[in-house]
Amino acid sequence: MQPLSIANDVFWLGDIDFESRDFHGYSRSPLGTTYNAYLIKDEKNALFDTVKEGHGPILLEKLRQVLPPEKVDYIVVNHLEPDHSGALPLLMEACRPEALICSPLGKKSLEGHFGSRDWPVRVVTSGETLSLGGRSVRFIEARMLHWPDSMFSYIPEEKLLISNDAFGQNIASTARFADEVEPALLRKSLSEYYHNIILPYSAQVLKILDAIAGQGLSVEILAPDHGLIFRRPQDVASTLEAYRDFALQRPRKRALIIYDTMWRSTERMAHALCRGLADNGVETVVLNLKQNHHSAVMTELAACGLLAVGSPTHNNGILPLVAASLTYLKGLRPKNRIGAAFGSYGWSGENTKILGEYLSAMDMPQPVDPLKCPFVPDAAVLNACEAMGASLAAALEKHCAAACS
Amino acid sequence: MKKHVCSLCGYVYDPAQGDPDGGIAPGTAFNSLPGSWVCPVCGASKADFKPA
């Protein structure tokens, strides 16, 4: 593929990874992803970020089609994670730039990833600008979005914000712009990405959105390092607004039931609980954790105000896939949700107590007592599960109303 | 003296160690840190810390 001009003398030099399904080593990218690098040609030429190792030769080839690599004066490293810096050694060797530019914490990450090298590192802090001649770059530290080193680069003359991981989406497509794909696909991918990568740092997201608004940064092109670029004002505005909405985590009247099961007892309880919720007006999704990766669970929880978790008791504990999903969810720090626990057991029955501890650790109150049943649920137990669903539907209604008032 | 943990990144401020890189001497209580002090790992403000 050719390098793509996204503005006057601004080029996308990234690569499309159609094969990727494992993102950052902990999340899924069911539609693949892209690694976006950008070049601005001016009196001084600047490359913003590189790509994952192995994709470097493609970036280098695209760069060569725009200008000889040795004409690159600056390489800006907005974030050191290897999907953006893996090809850095290759590019540093080919370009031999005047400066490698990163944030103060980027310098630490740089040394942590590449050891001490004789690279001409220049540290910049928030608000510093770099002149390229006709245009300039203003750096905005975006600490914890999503690593301490994360930084945005803003080019006021182009109203272009290169935002690194923030506002990314895992979509592998030859389409490069957000307005070229289905809006529903884009919104889902933006949400999937936010909730699996950015969610723990929602407080920082609100701060940076306020900073963008407060500093009067006019953004007409929003260029993240994964997925599609936003080039229409309405797309930029709706993306910034979507991030505010995600960060606020207002509870939704929608429920997610996750479970694992041994001999289908807990599965039957999950489905009875689902009936109880649905019959009382709550749209509910049930995910069996044997078939659904923990990142798919988080993607679904994004739009749910209630999380019901089911596991049988197994060896005085809970099933490992349930523990894995709950550990992952807890790390992402979801807020403003209520919880519920259920499951079958044979003799000791520690399951719902342990599930409750996970829910408490996520600040999810349980408005309804946990429900557990010995061995196989009979009609009375399944009725109790449906009744639990009805009670949870009422509690969710109340929870959402309280959050909105 | 009590340790405090950063709610954003998990860094723990230990008064016994202070934050020498940030100019804070060992033995400085969390409450005695200047208002301008930020988390050395992620830049969060004092208000983002909770007692450990």
Side-chain angles (χ1 to χ4, degrees), chain A residues 64-310:
Chain A
R64 282 200 179 99
Q65 292 179 50
V66 182
L67 85 176
E70 59 274 16
K71 297 277 187 195
V72 171
D73 299 285
Y74 305 115
I75 294 184
V76 176
V77 181
N78 282 316
H79 176 37
L80 262 299
E81 200 161 9
D83 49 343
H84 307 291
S85 72
L88 187 60
L90 179 71
L91 269 292
M92 287 302 290
E93 180 64 30
C95 301
R96 300 192 173 272
E98 181 183 319
L100 183 168
I101 295 170
C102 63
S103 70
L105 293 164
K107 186 167 185 283
K108 247 181 171 175
S109 294
L110 191 69
E111 288 160 3
H113 280 83
F114 298 105
S116 58
R117 306 230 183 177
D118 56 350
W119 288 344
V121 177
R122 187 187 300 174
V123 171
V124 291
T125 56
S126 255
E128 274 190 54
T129 57
L130 171 75
S131 174
L132 300 178
R135 283 163 294 185
S136 57
V137 187
R138 179 163 155 190
F139 300 103
I140 303 166
E141 286 181 66
R143 294 183 181 189
M144 299 317 285
L145 282 186
H146 65 117
W147 275 17
D149 64 1
S150 299
M151 184 166 79
F152 294 173
S153 298
Y154 178 66
I155 295 83
E157 295 82 0
E158 303 292 344
K159 296 184 170 36
L160 164 67
L161 183 68
I162 297 172
S163 61
N164 194 262
D165 272 324
F167 310 110
Q169 339 88 45
N170 286 322
I171 298 176
S173 165
T174 55
R176 281 282 52 76
F177 297 101
D179 51 276
E180 295 175 316
V181 302
E182 286 294 323
L185 167 77
L186 181 69
R187 174 80 186 198
K188 185 170 190 296
S189 298
L190 196 67
S191 173
E192 173 188 66
Y193 187 98
Y194 184 93
H195 288 91
N196 283 282
I197 317 293
I198 310 283
L199 186 67
Y201 312 111
S202 289
Q204 298 300 89
V205 169
L206 293 173
K207 277 186 196 167
I208 206 112
L209 290 174
D210 288 344
I212 289 172
Q215 292 173 27
L217 295 192
S218 171
V219 181
E220 289 185 0
I221 307 174
L222 179 56
D225 276 8
H226 293 289
L228 306 168
I229 299 162
F230 305 89
R231 63 176 170 182
R232 299 190 308 187
Q234 64 266 41
D235 294 332
V236 173
S238 68
T239 303
L240 297 178
E241 201 40 52
Y243 257 46
R244 188 175 292 280
D245 182 49
F246 298 155
L248 289 172
Q249 299 198 59
R250 293 188 193 95
R252 306 283 162 88
K253 200 185 143 191
R254 204 163 170 274
L256 173 64
I257 300 173
I258 58 172
Y259 73 94
D260 197 2
T261 195
M262 291 159 65
W263 299 103
R264 301 192 62 210
S265 290
T266 300
E267 181 173 82
R268 281 178 216 160
M269 294 175 77
H271 286 280
L273 185 57
C274 176
R275 285 194 295 278
L277 281 157
D279 288 349
N280 286 278
V282 176
E283 185 201 344
T284 302
V285 170
V286 180
L287 296 181
N288 178 330
L289 297 176
K290 278 195 185 56
Q291 277 110 42
N292 292 279
H293 189 264
H294 55 245
S295 71
V297 171
M298 187 62 236
T299 302
E300 203 58 61
L301 183 64
C304 294
L306 164 69
L307 174 67
V309 192

Side-chain angles (χ1 to χ4, degrees), chain A residues 31-96:
Chain A
L31 304 177
T33 194
T34 72
Y35 314 108
N36 300 339
Y38 302 96
L39 178 81
I40 297 183
K41 255 174 83 174
D42 208 311
E43 287 167 34
K44 292 280 194 175
N45 303 305
L47 175 68
F48 297 81
D49 296 317
T50 71
V51 293
K52 194 173 176 180
E53 193 176 16
H55 297 259
I58 303 265
L59 163 57
L60 199 50
E61 179 49 36
K62 281 184 177 148
L63 173 61
R64 282 200 179 99
Q65 292 179 50
V66 182
L67 85 176
E70 59 274 16
K71 297 277 187 195
V72 171
D73 299 285
Y74 305 115
I75 294 184
V76 176
V77 181
N78 282 316
H79 176 37
L80 262 299
E81 200 161 9
D83 49 343
H84 307 291
S85 72
L88 187 60
L90 179 71
L91 269 292
M92 287 302 290
E93 180 64 30
C95 301
R96 300 192 173 272

Side-chain angles (χ1 to χ4, degrees), chain A residues 105 108 143-144 148 201 203-204 207 333, chain B residues 7-9 39-43 45 48:
Chain A
L105 293 164
K108 247 181 171 175
R143 294 183 181 189
M144 299 317 285
Y201 312 111
Q204 298 300 89
K207 277 186 196 167
R333 299 185 220 160
Chain B
S7 61
L8 286 179
C9 71
C39 172
V41 173
C42 76
S45 65
D48 292 316

